[in-house]
Amino acid sequence: PIPPNHFLADPFVTRMGDATFCFVDDFDYDSGRACISAYKLNLLGAERLGKAIEEPFHLSFPYLFQHESKIYLCPESSNNRDIRIYESDGFPLRWKLKKVIMSNVDAVDSMIFEHDGIWWLLTNIDPTNMGDHSSELFLFYSDDPFSDAWLPHPKNPIFIDPTRARNAGLLLDGKYVYRVSQRYGMNR
């Protein structure tokens, strides 16, 4: 059930109790920007629950993570030139801004995760400010996901390859972390 004049992208799925939810980039052609919407998934399909996070600027890529029994969402907010984290304040539709972890940065598709006691931030930064978010992958680390001081990896950008650099999600399997990439181009 997609609203008229909208398209959905960047699905992120999570389970809460016995229910499965999907958060999406919900682009509205009339406004020219997207918000984050939530759906409840079941055996018959998806039930639209409504808008989860809406700002006066474009939001997409609703990356979800957990920390200390709370759920957080780190959407792409490059139009606002920041990387921000929202905390669930009434899952799945109520969220509040918890922290802007980076400002004055043209970054998209950011993903935050903990591995071996260190918090990692993978993000696609356009250092040229020309709209190329697919060529370079940057890595930062911190001891806290809400830190004011994310440290850059000394080998940044850790990837320079437009066919593999753009983030698409993470797969966590025990002690292993697998990064999924997306490739932009013409439909083939």
Side-chain angles (χ1 to χ4, degrees):
I2 300 172
N5 215 26
H6 285 237
F7 80 82
L8 307 180
D10 297 331
F12 281 86
V13 176
T14 191
R15 286 193 55 80
M16 291 296 278
D18 292 334
T20 303
F21 299 89
C22 182
F23 290 83
V24 295
D25 161 350
D26 183 350
F27 187 85
D28 179 350
Y29 284 104
D30 293 333
S31 69
R33 69 177 186 264
C35 67
I36 304 303
S37 289
Y39 286 76
K40 187 173 183 181
L41 306 180
N42 57 54
L43 294 176
L44 301 176
E47 171 192 352
R48 180 180 172 80
L49 300 176
K51 293 178 182 178
I53 304 173
E54 186 171 31
E55 294 284 7
F57 48 85
H58 179 85
L59 294 174
S60 61
F61 200 82
Y63 178 78
L64 297 157
F65 70 97
Q66 290 189 7
H67 176 55
E68 296 179 348
S69 302
K70 293 185 179 179
I71 191 158
Y72 298 93
L73 198 149
C74 179
E76 184 258 294
S77 57
S78 66
N79 287 145
N80 205 48
R81 297 191 55 80
D82 62 19
I83 299 174
R84 51 186 44 222
I85 298 171
Y86 293 83
E87 180 180 336
S88 175
D89 189 30
F91 191 87
L93 293 179
R94 285 196 351 243
W95 298 81
K96 64 182 178 186
L97 180 62
K98 169 77 174 178
K99 178 87 174 187
V100 174
I101 60 170
M102 283 191 189
S103 297
N104 197 29
V105 63
D106 190 5
V108 301
D109 301 352
S110 300
M111 302 185 302
I112 299 168
F113 64 99
E114 186 270 332
H115 185 67
D116 290 338
I118 298 173
W119 283 90
W120 298 95
L121 166 63
L122 284 164
T123 191
N124 299 106
I125 296 176
D126 174 14
T128 65
N129 290 314
M130 296 179 65
D132 179 8
H133 297 102
S134 297
S135 295
E136 298 183 8
L137 178 63
F138 290 79
L139 181 63
F140 298 85
Y141 61 96
S142 173
D143 61 354
D144 182 332
F146 312 113
S147 174
D148 290 320
W150 283 87
L151 301 172
H153 192 279
K155 297 196 184 237
N156 273 341
I158 60 168
F159 238 62
I160 302 175
D161 181 346
T163 66
R164 302 184 298 152
R166 184 102 180 225
N167 286 327
L170 289 178
L171 300 173
L172 306 174
D173 181 19
K175 65 178 184 169
Y176 297 103
V177 178
Y178 300 95
R179 179 189 156 268
V180 181
S181 65
Q182 54 184 307
R183 181 176 183 178
Y184 281 85
M186 304 303 259
N187 292 337
R188 296 179 204 193

